[in-house]
Amino acid sequence: MKLAAMDKAELRRVNQEAASQYEDFKALHVSLNMARGKPCAKQLDLALGVLEALKARSEFANSNGDDSRNYGIWNGLPEMREIFSGMMGLPADLIILGNNSSLQMMFDCISQGMTHGFGGCKPWGKQEHVKFLCPVPGYDRHFAVTEYFGVEMIPVPMLKTGPDMDLIERLVEKDESIKGCWCVPKYSNPTGVTYSDETVRRFAALKPAAKDFRIMWDNAYCVHDLTDTPDTLLNLYEECLKQGTEDNVLFFASTSKISFPGAGVAALGASARNIVDLKKRFTTQTIGPDKLNQLRHILFLHDLDGVYSLMQGHRKILEPKFRIVEEALERELGDLGVARWSHPNGGYFVNLDVMNGCAKRVVELCRNAGVVLTDAGATFPYGADPNDSNIRIAPSFPPEEELSQAMHLLCICVTLAASEKLLSERF
Amino acid sequence: MKLAAMDKAELRRVNQEAASQYEDFKALHVSLNMARGKPCAKQLDLALGVLEALKARSEFANSNGDDSRNYGIWNGLPEMREIFSGMMGLPADLIILGNNSSLQMMFDCISQGMTHGFGGCKPWGKQEHVKFLCPVPGYDRHFAVTEYFGVEMIPVPMLKTGPDMDLIERLVEKDESIKGCWCVPKYSNPTGVTYSDETVRRFAALKPAAKDFRIMWDNAYCVHDLTDTPDTLLNLYEECLKQGTEDNVLFFASTSKISFPGAGVAALGASARNIVDLKKRFTTQTIGPDKLNQLRHILFLHDLDGVYSLMQGHRKILEPKFRIVEEALERELGDLGVARWSHPNGGYFVNLDVMNGCAKRVVELCRNAGVVLTDAGATFPYGADPNDSNIRIAPSFPPEEELSQAMHLLCICVTLAASEKLLSERF
């Protein structure tokens, strides 16, 4: 029965039952951190072969005959760029490899916009005021980067097809101060939504008022499928080529959730003209990325097929965890009408929307009982969820048993918060 | 006999003999690149143990019990910070580890100055005009960073004791637009000079007009001794503590020339107040550096003693190469009075000053005969050597035999250029 349809006595009974279950849980003294989308140790073990690589002396010679242990090769080893080419859908010669963090490459691109600008325009830092579009809910670390540089962030609602393109077109095509848009186009963090073909085509067809507008296309979960019916994402680069808009996009990916989060390889893809802008920066900033780590990855992954086959191993570990989350939500909250959640085909998160005004309370209740979730509001610019309803569930890290336990607590807390709220508002 | 003391016939004879030797050399079709201070393959083999590390599963757990393969630990593993603490002379908790490039950390600090500023001052990018002091000859990649950000560079002559401190004090203490000074304090690139105790004390005692003045103390060669009488560098951090000026300095080092140039570990040291400024940047830019590479280094190096013992291996390979360079210069140019050169106790370069107006010509002659040296002028801001006399010799990369060959060519070219010049000017 839906909580909203209950009378006072029924609601009070639900509330008291939840409160009592909550106290029981607290008594277990659980301590579990589910705040971040961290792979678990079993997943990391899948890539141990990366560390077994590089045993033969001859392996250090790269395709130029140079020694990969030494300085040089600013854009990384061709064989690794080839693997990313397959993952990202751009030619390998438009791909620049970084070190272990695609976030760092995104940060550096925004930093580049601030101090040097793009496409021959005045640096953003010297323009009156600059803004970025932020599909919400979205990835907190993206928002932290634009906030760090003082860029005003404008939230854009996520729909089932991706961000609200009507709004994006209206804003971008008339407002020259809008310089970019954050996107996680496949299995979006945290909604799990993959942008529809039409959404991708509309991004490609954007005619921004600003000549230095750049879409930050963070394809973090491009090969991170979890079901037999994976989503497919249209190739934005190819769509842009048709429209002649390839300068409008910067593409990102990494092996952080393929090999190791802390020691993977990151990549940036860009049009030839954008690479001209960025090459000067990268070659001034460093004499080259860690090529030994690239070699390790090349020797372990071999090619795109190697990536896909490794991702099957990740799926085997992750899929049951996502099932635990969805089944717990369905079982414990399905009838109560106080929450909606996503059913993603991949990625790292389940998106939970609780009753308006309850997200902070739920996260606080969980924390007080020993389970740390992502902060409520984190999925919005400036940490401000206008409805205080969005919670990001990250099932990957805890072992299955602990995850079940944590989900049980979360459902108790959602029920407790919702019943509290209804009681205080209605009676 | 000195060329300058020769009459026309003698000089012409020297010139013709050099020209004929030059043609003989060209006929050998040598092809050798000595442009950069790259370690040779034998040096890189010394650190193969780095790659042998990380075999036992248990090794991934870091001191917090977390898995080093995963995200996190923005400032790096404590054990590696401890090793750098010994190398850099700062407490380990004031050290932030990066990825493979200390240049990148320096670039990021300058970038930080431009967009966010230091010590609560207005960002450099929003100030009228900012300047940096550049001891010359110096490191071209330092100058490239400040040039990239449009910072005006003011050359300061290098003396035997380090940069001209009278000039630095005069400039820094009166001109608020001077925001920093590049320094390679030990075995300076390219002069090989180690700053005297007095120079270090005067840096510590600087009273800059600008509250956001920062010394970029790039201690790239802190453990890179090549003789039994190594230079010693006074600890700037400790001297600053005495003066209360520790906020004026950012300290840098790396294992690029200890383990692998392309895959070492870099470090930044800073006062607690500067770390507050920088932590926000680093934690926004990345979820953490590559900790597996740090672990590899910890397991291989163990501690500071491990570093020193590894450096003995480097010395064994490098010392004979430096001897080849100095002996060739002495043997072939010693009597001619057309060049002066350094006799460094460590580092990566021999500094050669040829007759004014001859450096470009010498480098061009060498290139045309198949030996690529560092571009003449590269050791000065904007590539402009006012005397056109400075040439950086990087002996580390070529095998000894090729190095001897290259040095012979270089000496021929110095003689050829000097005799050409004297003939055209005097007779």
Side-chain angles (χ1 to χ4, degrees):
Chain A
M1 186 182 187
K2 295 206 187 319
L3 290 202
M6 289 182 179
D7 63 24
K8 191 174 176 180
E10 287 167 323
L11 204 52
R12 187 167 283 163
R13 192 187 48 73
V14 168
N15 179 261
Q16 280 166 355
E17 164 135 7
S20 137
Q21 288 182 314
Y22 182 70
E23 291 308 319
D24 290 349
F25 193 97
K26 259 178 129 171
L28 300 174
H29 298 293
V30 164
S31 172
L32 177 59
N33 192 322
M34 285 178 66
R36 308 300 316 179
K38 283 166 76 170
C40 64
K42 272 190 192 165
Q43 288 179 270
L44 304 182
D45 285 348
L46 296 173
L48 281 178
V50 168
L51 305 175
E52 305 280 310
L54 287 189
K55 287 201 169 139
R57 174 77 180 68
S58 61
E59 287 165 352
F60 303 125
N62 61 49
S63 1
N64 297 324
D66 289 330
D67 190 321
S68 287
R69 297 172 297 181
N70 224 318
Y71 289 118
I73 316 203
W74 73 279
N75 55 352
L77 299 181
E79 299 87 338
M80 192 71 213
R81 287 194 275 120
E82 202 56 61
I83 292 174
F84 274 109
S85 170
M87 284 164 56
M88 298 167 78
L90 277 90
D93 59 358
L94 296 182
I95 287 170
I96 301 169
L97 302 183
N99 280 319
N100 69 332
S101 166
S102 57
L103 184 66
Q104 182 159 23
M105 301 190 94
M106 296 177 223
F107 181 100
D108 278 10
C109 285
I110 302 294
S111 189
Q112 171 77 4
M114 295 306 292
T115 57
H116 288 72
F118 284 106
C121 298
K122 221 196 247 188
W124 296 343
K126 301 224 184 249
Q127 298 189 31
E128 198 58 42
H129 190 73
V130 294
K131 302 174 195 155
F132 240 72
L133 302 183
C134 300
V136 291
Y139 180 34
D140 55 347
R141 292 193 190 272
H142 284 167
F143 304 154
V145 170
T146 24
E147 183 172 4
Y148 180 74
F149 284 103
V151 174
E152 184 188 334
M153 294 182 280
I154 302 174
V156 172
M158 279 291 286
L159 312 176
K160 287 192 174 150
T161 51
D164 180 342
M165 291 309 295
D166 291 344
L167 180 58
I168 288 185
E169 284 165 357
R170 205 157 61 238
L171 290 168
V172 165
E173 296 184 0
K174 74 154 202 250
D175 186 348
E176 214 187 331
S177 70
I178 295 176
K179 298 306 182 188
C181 179
W182 289 113
C183 294
V184 182
K186 193 170 173 191
Y187 304 132
S188 184
N189 175 349
T191 60
V193 164
T194 295
Y195 295 9
S196 71
D197 291 358
E198 194 204 338
T199 296
V200 173
R201 285 199 191 96
R202 288 172 77 176
F203 267 115
L206 274 182
K207 289 175 187 44
K211 294 287 159 267
D212 49 358
F213 174 86
R214 293 294 179 270
I215 297 162
M216 301 290 281
W217 196 254
D218 179 6
N219 210 344
Y221 307 109
C222 50
V223 293
H224 302 61
D225 304 317
L226 293 176
T227 68
D228 288 329
T229 54
D231 296 351
T232 56
L233 177 70
L234 202 63
N235 183 320
L236 177 62
Y237 176 71
E238 284 171 8
E239 293 303 313
C240 284
L241 282 185
K242 293 178 196 165
Q243 304 278 347
T245 55
E246 63 275 20
D247 294 346
N248 289 357
V249 195
L250 298 169
F251 301 84
F252 303 91
S254 80
T255 72
S256 292
K257 289 179 174 103
I258 296 173
S259 57
F260 303 124
V265 178
L268 157 61
S271 71
R273 272 185 296 266
N274 282 333
I275 284 190
V276 170
D277 279 350
L278 293 168
K279 178 176 180 178
K280 177 80 182 138
R281 180 187 191 84
F282 284 112
T283 55
T284 305
Q285 189 176 25
T286 167
I287 318 179
D290 182 340
K291 298 181 297 296
L292 288 190
N293 204 33
Q294 294 168 21
L295 261 185
R296 276 183 206 103
H297 280 77
I298 294 163
L299 293 167
F300 176 65
L301 295 170
H302 302 292
D303 52 24
L304 190 60
D305 284 344
V307 173
Y308 279 115
S309 108
L310 177 57
M311 294 316 290
Q312 285 302 315
H314 282 280
R315 177 182 162 185
K316 281 206 189 86
I317 297 166
L318 288 177
E319 197 180 0
K321 294 189 179 183
F322 276 74
R323 209 178 301 128
I324 285 169
V325 170
E326 292 183 45
E327 283 174 3
L329 291 167
E330 185 56 43
R331 188 176 56 244
E332 304 195 34
L333 300 177
D335 292 336
L336 304 183
V338 293
R340 282 169 297 118
W341 53 91
S342 62
H343 306 274
N345 284 321
Y348 262 68
F349 303 103
V350 173
N351 189 59
L352 175 66
D353 278 304
V354 296
M355 198 182 271
N356 284 357
C358 288
K360 272 188 200 309
R361 176 71 178 142
V362 169
V363 170
E364 185 201 14
L365 283 166
C366 285
R367 177 178 290 114
N368 292 342
V371 174
V372 179
L373 302 174
T374 309
D375 279 341
T379 51
F380 287 74
Y382 312 108
D385 174 0
N387 296 324
D388 184 26
S389 70
N390 190 251
I391 293 174
R392 184 178 83 164
I393 303 174
S396 54
F397 191 69
E400 292 181 23
E401 205 162 317
E402 289 183 30
L403 179 62
S404 299
Q405 215 178 11
M407 284 309 299
H408 178 52
L409 174 68
L410 175 58
C411 292
I412 293 169
C413 295
V414 170
T415 310
L416 192 53
S419 56
E420 267 172 11
K421 182 153 192 279
L422 286 169
L423 278 168
S424 77
E425 279 176 4
R426 298 217 173 166
F427 304 103
Chain B
M1 187 180 185
K2 295 207 187 319
L3 289 202
M6 291 182 177
D7 63 23
K8 192 174 177 181
E10 288 167 322
L11 204 50
R12 187 167 285 164
R13 192 187 47 74
V14 168
N15 178 261
Q16 280 165 356
E17 163 135 7
S20 137
Q21 289 181 314
Y22 183 70
E23 291 308 319
D24 290 349
F25 193 96
K26 260 178 128 172
L28 301 174
H29 298 292
V30 164
S31 172
L32 176 60
N33 192 321
M34 284 177 67
R36 308 299 317 178
K38 284 166 74 170
C40 64
K42 272 189 193 167
Q43 288 178 269
L44 305 182
D45 286 346
L46 296 173
L48 281 179
V50 168
L51 305 175
E52 306 280 310
L54 287 191
K55 288 200 170 139
R57 175 76 180 67
S58 61
E59 288 164 352
F60 302 125
N62 61 48
S63 1
N64 297 324
D66 289 330
D67 191 320
S68 287
R69 298 172 297 181
N70 224 318
Y71 289 118
I73 316 203
W74 73 279
N75 55 352
L77 298 181
E79 299 87 338
M80 191 71 213
R81 288 193 275 120
E82 201 58 59
I83 292 174
F84 274 109
S85 169
M87 285 164 57
M88 298 168 79
L90 276 91
D93 59 357
L94 296 183
I95 286 170
I96 300 169
L97 303 183
N99 280 319
N100 69 331
S101 166
S102 57
L103 184 67
Q104 181 159 25
M105 301 190 94
M106 296 178 223
F107 181 101
D108 278 10
C109 285
I110 302 295
S111 188
Q112 171 76 7
M114 295 306 291
T115 57
H116 287 72
F118 283 106
C121 298
K122 222 196 247 188
W124 297 343
K126 301 222 184 251
Q127 297 188 32
E128 198 58 42
H129 190 72
V130 295
K131 303 174 194 156
F132 240 72
L133 302 182
C134 300
V136 291
Y139 180 33
D140 55 348
R141 291 192 191 272
H142 284 167
F143 304 155
V145 170
T146 24
E147 183 172 5
Y148 181 74
F149 284 103
V151 174
E152 183 187 335
M153 293 182 281
I154 302 174
V156 172
M158 279 292 285
L159 312 176
K160 286 192 173 148
T161 51
D164 180 342
M165 292 308 294
D166 291 344
L167 180 58
I168 288 186
E169 285 164 357
R170 205 156 60 239
L171 291 168
V172 165
E173 296 184 0
K174 73 153 203 252
D175 185 348
E176 215 187 330
S177 70
I178 295 177
K179 299 305 184 189
C181 180
W182 289 112
C183 294
V184 182
K186 192 170 172 190
Y187 304 133
S188 185
N189 176 349
T191 60
V193 164
T194 296
Y195 295 10
S196 71
D197 291 357
E198 194 204 338
T199 296
V200 173
R201 286 199 191 95
R202 287 172 79 176
F203 267 115
L206 274 181
K207 289 175 188 45
K211 294 289 161 263
D212 49 357
F213 174 86
R214 292 294 178 271
I215 297 161
M216 302 290 281
W217 196 254
D218 180 5
N219 210 343
Y221 307 109
C222 50
V223 293
H224 302 61
D225 304 317
L226 293 176
T227 68
D228 289 329
T229 53
D231 296 351
T232 55
L233 176 71
L234 201 62
N235 183 320
L236 176 62
Y237 177 72
E238 283 171 8
E239 293 304 312
C240 283
L241 281 186
K242 293 179 196 164
Q243 304 277 347
T245 55
E246 64 274 21
D247 294 345
N248 289 356
V249 194
L250 298 169
F251 301 84
F252 302 91
S254 79
T255 71
S256 291
K257 289 179 174 103
I258 296 172
S259 58
F260 304 124
V265 178
L268 157 61
S271 70
R273 272 184 297 266
N274 282 332
I275 284 190
V276 170
D277 280 351
L278 293 168
K279 179 175 179 178
K280 177 79 182 138
R281 179 186 192 85
F282 284 112
T283 55
T284 305
Q285 190 176 24
T286 166
I287 318 180
D290 183 339
K291 298 181 298 296
L292 288 190
N293 204 34
Q294 293 168 21
L295 261 185
R296 275 183 207 103
H297 280 76
I298 293 164
L299 292 167
F300 177 65
L301 295 170
H302 302 292
D303 52 25
L304 189 60
D305 284 344
V307 173
Y308 279 115
S309 107
L310 177 57
M311 294 316 289
Q312 285 302 316
H314 283 279
R315 177 182 162 184
K316 281 207 189 86
I317 296 166
L318 287 177
E319 197 181 359
K321 294 188 178 183
F322 276 74
R323 208 178 302 127
I324 285 169
V325 169
E326 292 184 45
E327 283 174 4
L329 291 167
E330 186 56 44
R331 187 176 57 243
E332 303 196 33
L333 299 177
D335 292 337
L336 304 183
V338 293
R340 282 169 296 119
W341 53 91
S342 61
H343 305 274
N345 284 321
Y348 262 69
F349 303 102
V350 173
N351 188 59
L352 176 65
D353 278 304
V354 297
M355 199 182 271
N356 283 357
C358 287
K360 272 187 200 309
R361 175 71 179 143
V362 168
V363 170
E364 185 200 14
L365 283 166
C366 285
R367 178 180 289 115
N368 292 342
V371 173
V372 179
L373 301 173
T374 308
D375 279 341
T379 51
F380 287 75
Y382 312 108
D385 174 359
N387 296 325
D388 185 25
S389 71
N390 190 252
I391 294 175
R392 184 178 83 166
I393 303 175
S396 54
F397 191 69
E400 292 182 23
E401 206 163 315
E402 290 183 29
L403 179 62
S404 298
Q405 215 179 12
M407 284 310 299
H408 179 52
L409 173 68
L410 175 58
C411 292
I412 293 169
C413 295
V414 170
T415 310
L416 192 54
S419 55
E420 267 173 10
K421 182 152 192 279
L422 286 170
L423 278 168
S424 77
E425 279 177 4
R426 297 218 174 165
F427 302 103

